Amino acid sequence: MEKAISIQTLQRLPLYLQYLRALSADKGKNVSAKMLGNALGFGEIQVRKDLSSVSDGGKPKLGYCTKELIRDIEVFLGYDNVNDAVLVGAGKLGKALLSYQGFRDYGLNIVAGFDSNSEVCGTDESGKQILHLSRMEDLCRRMKIELGIITVPANEAQSVCDTLVKSGIRAVWNFAPVHLDAPKDVIIKNENIAASLAVLSKNLAQKENLAQQI
Amino acid sequence: MEKAISIQTLQRLPLYLQYLRALSADKGKNVSAKMLGNALGFGEIQVRKDLSSVSDGGKPKLGYCTKELIRDIEVFLGYDNVNDAVLVGAGKLGKALLSYQGFRDYGLNIVAGFDSNSEVCGTDESGKQILHLSRMEDLCRRMKIELGIITVPANEAQSVCDTLVKSGIRAVWNFAPVHLDAPKDVIIKNENIAASLAVLSKNLAQKENLAQQI
DNA sequence: GGTATATCGATATTAGAATATCGATATACC
DNA sequence: GGTATATCGATATTCTAATATCGATATACC
């Protein structure tokens, strides 16, 4: 375990985890690569290869120990040590993310939301405070926040990104449909709704059902 | 143009488009692959290859005609002929998507939202009606809707998916963090927040700034 | 008009990911 | 205890995508 891992594998790991978590409640203690593959739509060889990067192995004839596997993936993905984050842009999407409880399962904790519109400031979103943007830098520095989430409209995103970088942020999760410029040492991950939609509508248009479960 | 296209290229096309649209307002009428690449963080060869799939070419020394390129990408992605869709799950995320105006630019039109909770039914979300789930099948069949968007909690997603399939839907855009089972001829596109987050937090943890702009 | 240069497009190479093949091994059953 | 079988893991192969190389060409400038 802890070998080099491909981005593709890394992206599949949460899917295994999600399925395994749902499984562990009702089913027995072992799970095979074939079973996982069938459930998630992957080939069993791929499943084995993916899991070999994080787990120290299953047993022939039995498969993997569900509980250990869950733990291994969680540890690998760092879900055990929580990542604090700030969110900028308390519009509808921002509020949705602020109040989404599921992030806990992914080791993410949004400590507060920020907005430049004074009207929404001071309000609460499922227990998460929304503060004025001017207070962000101070909070980020004091709490040593490393991750910033951008949910502002496209035209404001670059300026928010600049502010985040100035606040000492090291990674940005960008939901605004624009490309952001940032220093090379800052990681930018774009959440690309338009790209997904493109794949989907192209498939729909072609009536080619080649790629199910994209 | 209209050659075979890779999924990777397909996913980059909306990014080019987005940048070009922003550009066309203020800048001149031509754009080079180098310029596009620099702006979006891709290599210029890749840009040229991507664009060759949709455009019938740029001119040496000049580059591509911005306006034509925009048009070519729009046509290729089918943004000119609008796709109708229904959305199920009028929680925070569902409402955010319902009221997001930007989908127009991607050729997507959500005709209505549905929910099984009678309390939210009858209300309006930025001009989109929210109706009871029981009325969905009828509407889908009458309007020949082909695309369904799922924004319900994980535990309800499979049953909603089944209902959508029964309503004649041919493609599903799934925002719930679960794997969905559906007939092979139905396209499922998972919007995978957890996967993105995995990549991001792994990068952050490793302090390897290898892959900026993922 | 001739030459220099920026840019394109096509082909070739390299890198990366998915899939197939094969031998090994732990359990189950006789 | 011995044999059959499900499953694993490692290596090899194929497929896909990214990148590099090279020649071609349209404009700009002298």
Side-chain angles (χ1 to χ4, degrees), chain A residues 91-163:
Chain A
K92 290 208 175 69
L93 178 60
K95 285 180 180 171
L97 295 181
L98 273 177
S99 61
Y100 178 51
Q101 302 297 318
F103 282 138
R104 256 186 328 203
D105 298 335
Y106 309 142
L108 180 70
N109 174 43
I110 304 180
V111 298
F114 293 92
D115 205 295
S116 56
N117 175 3
S118 314
E119 274 185 39
V120 295
C121 297
T123 61
D124 228 72
E125 191 64 33
S126 301
K128 309 280 186 184
Q129 273 199 308
I130 298 170
L131 307 169
H132 194 269
L133 191 56
S134 58
R135 297 177 56 187
M136 185 176 71
E137 181 162 358
D138 179 55
L139 183 133
C140 286
R141 295 213 175 273
R142 276 192 297 110
M143 295 190 67
K144 298 198 195 312
I145 308 278
E146 296 194 311
L147 176 59
I149 304 172
I150 296 183
T151 52
V152 298
N155 57 318
E156 298 169 25
Q158 184 61 60
S159 116
V160 166
C161 178
D162 296 343
T163 310

Side-chain angles (χ1 to χ4, degrees), chain A residues 200-207, chain B residues 81-87 108-109 111 136-137 139-149 161 164-165 167-173 185-189:
Chain A
L200 187 53
S201 58
K202 196 71 194 172
N203 278 26
L204 194 53
Q206 295 185 313
K207 313 220 180 213
Chain B
N81 49 347
V82 172
N83 239 319
D84 283 334
V86 292
L87 179 147
L108 179 70
N109 175 44
V111 298
M136 187 177 69
E137 181 162 358
L139 182 132
C140 286
R141 294 213 175 275
R142 276 192 296 112
M143 293 189 67
K144 299 198 195 313
I145 308 277
E146 297 195 312
L147 176 59
I149 305 172
C161 178
L164 281 167
V165 169
S167 306
I169 286 291
R170 296 199 35 252
V172 172
W173 198 10
D185 58 328
V186 173
I187 301 159
I188 306 266
K189 173 80 179 130

Side-chain angles (χ1 to χ4, degrees), chain B residues 200-212:
Chain B
L200 187 53
S201 59
K202 196 71 195 169
N203 278 25
L204 194 52
Q206 296 185 313
K207 313 219 181 215
E208 287 179 19
N209 347 333
L210 310 160
Q212 219 210 355

